[in-house]
Amino acid sequence: GHLPPLPTPPPLPPLPHLPPPPHLPIPPLSRSVNVHLEAAIQPAMGALAASLLHNLLPNSEEMEEYVHQALRFIVAHEVGHVLGLRHNFHGSTMLSLQELHNQEITQKVGLTASVMDYLPANLAPPGVKQGDYFSGVVGPYDKWAIEYGYKPLNAVTPEGEKPALAEIAQASSAPELAYAPDEDSFDFLNPWVNVFDLSSDILGYSQAQMENAREMWQRLDRRYPLAGESYEEVRSKFNMVLSHYIRQVMNTTMYVAGQSFSRNYASETNSRLPFEAISGVQQRQALALLQEYVFEKDAFQFSPELLNKLAPERWYHWGASPQLVPLDYPIGDQILWLQRTVLRSLLSPLRLTRLRDAQLKANSSDVLTLAELFDSLQKGIWTEVIGNVGDLVEISSIRRELQREYFNLLQGLVLRKLSAPEDARSLAWYNLRQLDEAITKTLKDRRRHLDVTTLAHLEQTHAEIGTINN
């Protein structure tokens, strides 16, 4: 008649079903499990967004149509597997950002070139009329692949089918027939080969969805919980939106040192090479977005009332384990986890190596350099002491932890604790010296304005840089 003893509380994960840092090698099985878990919550995320952004009620005809669209897409995807089709993670890039909500287009050709991609709900950006949430027809890639595999051919032997099959395959260089299965996505190289993204403009799409997430947080604060609901519903919805936000952030990081990869064969009609670097302009745009939506001091603005609503689930019984520690919501840890993940991704050995090699592979001078990456991160993360003309009074706790993470990474590069190209080590050393000069000037000019914790933070950083240089 007694409940079993309470289990030892497990360590609190940063967030459920989050994408792992892209610079880590991801075994196919663990990555597959992670993606499948995220796929399970995508329809729920879309339904929440439809409710918050478009005021769709659970029992409305519009919400019923949303559910039908989601089910049709899922069934089409699984039937594709039954027919022998593999995933095609390039399919989601068929339409432009503007075309995604033009139903005259989407109801004719679909939202995606292939239903074999993993797609999120198609959520309209702020100020845009909502179109289809999910693709209602199979895409041009699907029709082409089925034609290749199942079209009856007038041939007696398999060898006799080859000319007709080769004729069908000649269309493979068409943009809407681009193909990228699971293994092409493991390297996190190509921003157009990814899961749960949409449109040929991933940067524009990601920015629009981050704006959607910010709006959803505000509306979540105003509308929930409903009368008779538990506050744990607010926490669950908050985490769902945060997961959506993080997905957009991680997709954006793929532009930095990114390259497109094509499987096309060489031919006289197609001169495209297998690898093409992402333009320096787009890489700089990606860095600017990461600065605005991840590193800026006001990137995460949540009201105290919303944060104090985020109560954990308290139901404890056989088969259900509530969260025991911590009871309150660790918002600082969540923000720092995302900032640390992005920063470590941008300064990962693989990305630094690709940036070093970019100048050797580029066909133009439009290249993002290692020096630009380090300079952009330093100016954005240490804004309070670099180029600040106002009276600095306090650096917030979130900013101090981010700055400490940045310093630790540069320190690890200089002291050879982290793997990196030699140019990256030199730039880390150079940037630490520049940072030390800015901190020294700040301590000299504005010491009397600083609160104690900010003063301690700057003096400690200054002292530790000194030990490196010595």
Side-chain angles (χ1 to χ4, degrees):
H2 297 287
L3 290 175
L6 289 175
T8 302
L12 178 68
L15 268 179
H17 319 323
L18 296 183
H23 64 285
L24 296 179
I26 309 300
L29 177 60
S30 65
R31 185 182 188 279
S32 174
V33 169
N34 183 75
V35 168
H36 290 164
L37 288 172
E38 189 173 356
I41 68 170
Q42 282 295 328
M45 173 62 217
L48 175 62
S51 173
L52 289 172
L53 298 176
H54 306 303
N55 302 311
L56 266 62
L57 298 176
N59 58 350
S60 66
E61 292 183 4
E62 293 87 350
M63 187 61 79
E64 184 176 358
E65 175 59 22
Y66 171 89
V67 173
H68 288 168
Q69 287 186 17
L71 289 175
R72 282 197 296 268
F73 178 77
I74 293 171
V75 170
H77 179 99
E78 300 306 333
V79 169
H81 282 314
V82 171
L83 294 174
L85 299 186
R86 297 189 62 197
H87 290 140
N88 181 3
F89 293 139
H90 212 305
S92 58
T93 64
M94 180 177 71
L95 299 184
S96 70
L97 198 59
Q98 292 72 31
E99 292 172 326
L100 285 175
H101 296 279
N102 185 339
Q103 291 181 307
E104 292 183 2
I105 296 175
T106 61
Q107 293 185 1
K108 181 179 179 181
V109 300
L111 289 169
T112 173
S114 175
V115 295
M116 304 312 296
D117 205 331
Y118 280 175
L119 295 187
N122 178 32
L123 304 176
V128 175
K129 183 180 178 181
Q130 177 68 47
D132 292 322
Y133 288 101
F134 293 94
S135 199
V137 298
V138 297
Y141 168 83
D142 304 317
K143 296 176 182 178
W144 175 71
I146 292 298
E147 180 187 14
Y148 186 92
Y150 289 91
K151 182 178 180 179
L153 301 174
N154 295 322
V156 178
T157 65
E159 288 294 323
E161 294 182 343
K162 282 188 175 181
L165 292 175
E167 184 177 351
I168 297 173
Q170 283 180 356
S172 64
S173 60
E176 66 272 18
L177 302 182
Y179 173 64
D182 296 64
E183 58 267 30
D184 285 7
S185 68
F186 290 152
D187 193 23
F188 299 96
L189 171 72
N190 188 346
W192 291 286
V193 177
N194 208 352
V195 293
F196 308 117
D197 58 0
L198 269 173
S199 92
S200 56
D201 179 9
I202 307 301
L203 285 181
Y205 173 80
S206 295
Q207 182 175 18
Q209 295 310 311
M210 286 188 282
E211 286 297 323
N212 272 342
R214 287 178 170 181
E215 179 63 26
M216 281 188 273
W217 278 319
Q218 292 184 18
R219 298 190 183 194
L220 187 62
D221 186 15
R222 294 195 297 266
R223 296 184 188 180
Y224 289 90
L226 302 176
E229 268 192 351
S230 167
Y231 279 97
E232 71 191 50
E233 290 294 321
V234 186
R235 185 175 183 136
S236 174
K237 291 177 172 61
F238 182 92
N239 274 346
M240 195 179 298
V241 179
L242 185 54
S243 294
H244 182 67
Y245 191 94
I246 290 173
R247 164 57 65 187
Q248 315 313 317
V249 169
M250 301 314 298
N251 286 350
T252 301
T253 64
M254 292 181 65
Y255 274 80
V256 181
Q259 302 170 51
S260 66
F261 172 63
S262 168
R263 287 169 166 257
N264 293 339
Y265 281 24
S267 71
E268 294 180 358
T269 58
N270 179 27
S271 60
R272 184 178 181 183
L273 298 176
F275 293 99
E276 293 180 3
I278 306 300
S279 73
V281 171
Q282 288 184 306
Q283 293 188 57
R284 294 180 191 100
Q285 288 174 348
L287 280 176
L289 286 178
L290 293 173
Q291 176 60 35
E292 179 179 356
Y293 289 93
V294 180
F295 297 138
E296 286 280 6
K297 59 183 178 182
D298 58 352
F300 300 93
Q301 296 290 305
F302 306 116
S303 73
E305 183 178 10
L306 174 60
L307 295 179
N308 287 316
K309 289 178 181 178
L310 305 181
E313 181 180 350
R314 305 314 302 141
W315 172 248
Y316 177 72
H317 210 279
W318 294 281
S321 298
Q323 182 176 309
L324 302 179
V325 177
L327 282 177
D328 61 333
Y329 193 87
I331 186 62
D333 287 347
Q334 304 289 52
I335 294 172
L336 182 62
W337 179 87
L338 175 57
Q339 292 176 331
R340 178 183 289 130
T341 299
V342 173
L343 194 54
R344 292 183 180 184
S345 170
L346 293 175
L347 295 177
S348 66
L350 183 57
R351 199 181 304 267
L352 294 176
T353 299
R354 283 175 172 160
L355 281 179
R356 179 201 63 188
D357 292 349
Q359 291 176 300
L360 302 175
K361 300 177 180 180
N363 292 321
S364 71
S365 58
D366 181 25
V367 176
L368 179 75
T369 65
L370 279 169
E372 283 186 89
L373 173 63
F374 278 89
D375 184 64
S376 174
L377 291 175
Q378 178 143 306
K379 288 180 177 177
I381 292 172
W382 282 91
T383 309
E384 291 87 346
V385 298
I386 297 177
N388 192 310
V389 296
D391 288 335
L392 174 64
V393 177
E394 178 185 11
I395 302 176
S396 70
S397 61
I398 296 297
R399 292 285 288 176
R400 289 194 301 268
E401 295 208 50
L402 171 61
Q403 290 167 1
R404 171 60 57 182
E405 178 68 17
Y406 171 84
F407 167 78
N408 288 339
L409 286 172
L410 264 59
Q411 181 187 53
L413 289 171
V414 172
L415 298 180
R416 299 183 177 277
K417 295 179 180 179
L418 302 175
S419 175
E422 288 302 313
D423 279 352
R425 300 191 194 283
S426 299
L427 287 165
W429 175 83
Y430 175 80
N431 277 265
L432 283 178
R433 286 196 62 185
Q434 298 297 310
L435 176 60
D436 192 41
E437 290 178 7
I439 291 176
T440 299
K441 188 175 188 305
T442 299
L443 291 172
K444 178 181 177 182
D445 296 345
R446 286 179 270 177
R447 175 182 292 271
R448 61 190 178 87
H449 298 291
L450 303 177
D451 74 296
V452 173
T453 310
T454 298
L455 181 61
H457 168 64
L458 294 180
E459 287 195 344
Q460 181 187 16
T461 305
H462 169 66
E464 292 192 11
I465 294 176
T467 63
I468 296 173
N469 291 333
N470 293 332

